[in-house]
Amino acid sequence: QTVVTQEPSLTVSPGGTVTLTCASSTGAVTSGYHANWFQQKPGQPPRSLIYSTSNKHSWTPARFSGSLLGGKAALTLSGVQPEDEAEYYCLLYYPGRVFGGGTKLTVL
Amino acid sequence: EVQLVESGGGLVQPGGSLRLSCADSGFTFSKYWMSWVRQAPGKGLEWVAIIKEDESEKYYVDSVKGRFTISRDNAKNSLYLEMNSLRPEDTAVYYCVRDQGSNSGMDVWGQGTTVTVSS
């Protein structure tokens, strides 16, 4: 059973920078896993931010960026805003798709 | 406006069945792969199933194989999830998602429909 692991929680100050990571139990995450990142706020459906490792949608704020870092997929928020406080999920493609457990980001 | 609207959720007893539907508007439904994703109360997201544009390929998470069936009717711009032999652990909000894979990811989500499996 494939497991995708994220940090359970992170805290960042407004204006700061934070990196969330996404690891696979099968080994290093590569571009072939087409990592996706989603943001979810309470009571709302998830919203896609990043697809295929580093590609942004038209609605994705410029302060969000995706990359591969040390064998993991990574989501970096630069210049964090209070409204970025949310749960963030990564998704990796295997045969099928597997979500990570989510990272609760607190802006404090 | 591109939109997905789920329906069909409700309360069902363990061992029972339920059929979820998802209707689209604002895009050419027949051109896209579609997925179902669920979220148990207070828990994270779980991908459930995916179907190709022409129904020629379908994939499921192991926990629902043999119990759930994903299907679609392109003439009605609709996606379905037939759920049988339901278990309490299937209790969740079920989201319908436009799934463009590596082209544009899971870019459109419905608001979800709630399924509760309880006696």
Side-chain angles (χ1 to χ4, degrees):
Chain A
Q1 181 184 353
T2 302
V3 177
V4 176
T5 302
Q6 300 181 242
E7 298 86 1
S9 63
L10 291 169
T11 300
V12 61
S13 300
T17 296
V18 65
T19 296
L20 290 65
T21 67
C22 177
S24 171
S25 62
T26 60
V29 176
T30 64
S31 59
Y33 285 84
H34 301 290
N36 285 233
W37 290 93
F38 301 87
Q39 178 192 65
Q40 187 178 32
K41 297 182 178 180
Q44 297 181 16
R47 179 177 74 142
S48 179
L49 295 173
I50 301 289
Y51 64 96
S52 288
T53 304
S54 59
N55 293 281
K56 299 180 186 182
H57 298 283
S58 58
W59 57 82
T60 304
R63 60 184 179 274
F64 291 86
S65 63
S67 64
L68 295 176
L69 200 62
K72 300 179 183 180
L75 176 70
T76 299
L77 287 71
S78 304
V80 172
Q81 302 296 308
E83 60 265 29
D84 296 333
E85 183 162 296
E87 192 84 23
Y88 291 84
Y89 295 93
C90 70
L91 172 78
L92 300 180
Y93 289 10
Y94 298 87
R97 282 104 164 84
V98 180
F99 282 96
T103 296
K104 181 175 176 56
L105 182 67
T106 300
V107 181
L108 207 59
Chain B
E1 181 189 2
V2 175
Q3 197 172 6
L4 294 168
V5 179
E6 303 92 338
S7 61
L11 174 63
V12 61
Q13 292 188 339
S17 299
L18 212 54
R19 188 195 198 203
L20 305 184
S21 300
C22 169
D24 89 299
S25 64
F27 66 96
T28 308
F29 179 78
S30 61
K31 292 186 176 180
Y32 296 94
W33 289 66
M34 298 293 295
S35 276
W36 286 99
V37 173
R38 67 184 179 184
Q39 187 168 35
K43 302 296 184 183
L45 301 172
E46 180 180 39
W47 172 81
V48 175
I50 188 170
I51 186 169
K52 194 176 179 181
E53 301 98 322
D54 62 0
E55 291 196 274
S56 61
E57 295 183 47
K58 303 177 185 181
Y59 302 97
Y60 301 88
V61 67
D62 285 349
S63 59
V64 308
K65 283 180 183 175
R67 301 188 300 122
F68 289 13
T69 302
I70 189 171
S71 63
R72 64 193 296 162
D73 185 337
N74 288 338
K76 295 182 178 180
N77 290 351
S78 293
L79 177 72
Y80 306 102
L81 186 67
E82 188 76 38
M83 304 185 294
N84 298 315
S85 303
L86 282 162
R87 306 166 180 167
E89 55 264 35
D90 295 318
T91 294
V93 175
Y94 284 74
Y95 295 103
C96 168
V97 186
R98 188 172 80 175
D99 191 333
Q100 297 201 63
S102 58
N103 292 326
S104 193
M106 292 179 161
D107 61 342
V108 180
W109 291 66
Q111 289 296 313
T113 187
T114 300
V115 173
T116 303
V117 184
S118 174
S119 54

